[in-house]
Amino acid sequence: MSLKDYLSEHLRNILLHLICGAAAALFLKATGTQTDILIILFSALFLVYFILQLHRCYRWYTHLNELEAIFQSLDQKYLFAECICKPKGLYEQKIFDLTRRAAQSMASAVSDARAAQKEYQEYVESWVHEIKAPITAATLMCRSTDSETRRKLTRELAQIESHVERALFYARAESPEKDFIIRQCILSELTAKAISQHRALLQQNDIRIETDSLEQAVFTDSKWTIFILGQLLQNAARYHGKHPVIKIYADHLGKQIRLTVKDNGIGIAAHELPRVCDRGFTGSNGRTRGGSTGIGLYLCKKLAVCLEIGLTVASEKDRGTTVTLTFPAKELLQL
């Protein structure tokens, strides 16, 4: 609170005191009190009143700064009322008690919401692990069918497994610090695993993969990074053009490593590009070709933020899309 704020807050009170002082001066003057005495008396009173108001303003200023410091130091802001001293005035105490009761109610609601979220997350993770068994069994059963049926079933089962995996990572992304482990990884190994996981989809769409300069070491979580790369490969396969090619290569950006995944697919319209990482955004390509959930790139961006990986998307309609992952230098990571 500044001096200007304090004066604005107490202007009516100050004016009332001045009016009362002027009335008292007129009364004393009318009763015969000498002017010199009135000047000395009211000058002294005004000086005392001015000093008291400055002291009060300073106390308010320091107290508000202390409260602001306490508030800023809290990770859970709704616990603010539990961390400050109870005021002395009766009116302030009543307001404080109401505020504390409201904060306690909020804390209880937050605790219940977190418990429900954790329970749901645990259920999703359990469901994902359970559903993988019948998917694997169905994949094995496909081997006894003719080649055309096997190819179609394998493709659909791969799509189901992809959606299941996305659901698992979506659930884990709510509390990422409990799941990922940052360690040194080689980009060529991560890329090879991502390609292997989606080999059937890539082959069905006759997509050629070209890699270059991937023998680079980065510090990241291998599982999460493979998932991100897998989502990028799926998008490239879903929105491919004629003679589809995906180029994956790495280069240095100072102490950072930049991994680029570039395709020659149908691209993204310029006005849609800023929204491609928004949750649920499918765009004109998703509506035209179908099958898009608007979750893939949203999850990639969310996981990339957790891993401190910079993710940028550049695209040109009918010319392809380029996604760049910038891995941080080891010394910049908050390990």
Side-chain angles (χ1 to χ4, degrees):
M1 174 182 283
S2 64
L3 180 60
K4 180 181 178 181
D5 295 330
Y6 180 83
L7 292 176
S8 176
E9 176 71 17
H10 294 82
L11 182 61
R12 292 177 61 183
N13 188 39
I14 293 173
L15 288 176
L16 180 62
H17 281 82
L18 291 176
I19 291 172
C20 291
L26 290 174
F27 175 78
L28 292 174
K29 180 66 177 177
T31 57
T33 305
Q34 295 182 7
T35 303
D36 293 342
I37 295 176
L38 287 175
I39 292 174
I40 295 172
L41 176 62
F42 282 95
S43 295
L45 289 175
F46 177 78
L47 180 61
V48 171
Y49 180 76
F50 179 74
I51 293 173
L52 287 175
Q53 291 300 321
L54 280 181
H55 176 67
R56 194 177 189 187
C57 178
Y58 176 75
R59 285 180 58 194
W60 281 37
Y61 174 79
T62 54
H63 184 58
L64 288 176
N65 279 348
E66 290 174 1
L67 295 179
E68 180 67 24
I70 293 173
F71 181 79
Q72 293 299 334
S73 66
L74 293 174
D75 292 330
Q76 299 171 334
K77 307 298 184 185
Y78 58 87
L79 296 177
F80 173 71
E82 302 294 329
C83 301
I84 60 176
C85 298
K86 194 172 184 177
K88 297 180 180 179
L90 179 61
Y91 178 77
E92 289 82 4
Q93 287 181 10
K94 295 295 185 183
I95 298 297
F96 176 78
D97 288 338
L98 290 174
T99 304
R100 174 167 286 184
R101 285 160 58 188
Q104 289 172 347
S105 177
M106 174 62 73
S108 177
V110 169
S111 178
D112 292 342
R114 286 180 174 174
Q117 182 183 36
K118 182 180 180 181
E119 183 179 349
Y120 176 74
Q121 179 182 342
E122 290 175 350
Y123 168 75
V124 169
E125 292 183 4
S126 174
W127 177 85
V128 166
H129 290 300
E130 290 176 0
I131 203 67
K132 283 185 176 182
I135 291 175
T136 303
T139 303
L140 294 174
M141 291 169 64
C142 289
R143 296 180 181 179
S144 61
T145 61
D146 59 89
S147 59
E148 181 63 20
T149 303
R150 181 170 62 251
R151 185 181 65 81
K152 292 180 180 179
L153 286 175
T154 301
R155 180 179 60 191
E156 297 304 323
L157 288 170
Q159 287 294 319
I160 294 173
E161 189 168 11
S162 175
H163 288 305
V164 168
E165 183 182 28
R166 194 176 296 128
L168 177 62
F169 275 90
Y170 191 97
R172 288 177 174 174
E174 297 303 321
S175 52
E177 68 283 351
K178 298 180 181 178
D179 189 59
F180 70 78
I181 301 175
I182 302 296
R183 61 182 59 178
Q184 182 172 298
C185 305
I186 306 300
L187 284 178
S188 59
E189 297 175 0
L190 301 180
T191 304
K193 290 180 180 178
I195 293 172
S196 176
Q197 289 180 2
H198 299 86
R199 188 175 304 280
L201 178 64
L202 298 171
Q203 289 176 346
Q204 289 165 9
N205 290 281
D206 297 321
I207 296 177
R208 189 173 79 254
I209 304 291
E210 296 180 359
T211 60
D212 187 33
S213 303
L214 295 180
E215 296 301 324
Q216 309 282 352
V218 296
F219 291 89
T220 186
D221 179 90
S222 59
K223 180 174 59 178
W224 285 37
T225 304
I226 291 171
F227 173 80
I228 293 174
L229 291 174
Q231 294 301 302
L232 300 181
L233 292 174
Q234 287 185 54
N235 284 350
R238 181 176 293 117
Y239 304 115
H240 68 82
K242 295 182 178 179
H243 311 295
V245 178
I246 301 176
K247 297 180 179 180
I248 307 175
Y249 55 90
D251 60 344
H252 285 270
L253 185 64
K255 292 185 178 181
Q256 299 174 317
I257 302 295
R258 185 168 53 188
L259 177 66
T260 302
V261 180
K262 183 177 182 181
D263 64 60
N264 60 346
I266 60 177
I268 304 169
H271 68 279
E272 295 178 350
L273 198 56
R275 299 178 59 195
V276 292
C277 291
D278 292 350
R279 189 178 70 169
F281 180 74
T282 57
S284 55
N285 292 338
R287 290 188 290 271
T288 302
R289 298 207 171 186
S292 176
T293 61
I295 296 296
L297 279 178
Y298 165 76
L299 264 182
C300 289
K301 184 69 175 181
K302 190 169 185 176
L303 298 182
V305 170
C306 296
L307 296 172
E308 301 183 41
I309 298 174
L311 187 151
T312 57
V313 182
S315 185
E316 188 175 347
K317 192 67 175 176
D318 300 321
R319 298 291 297 274
T321 300
T322 302
V323 180
T324 304
L325 302 175
T326 304
F327 292 86
K330 182 180 180 181
E331 55 268 27
L332 298 179
L333 281 170
Q334 298 178 2
L335 299 176

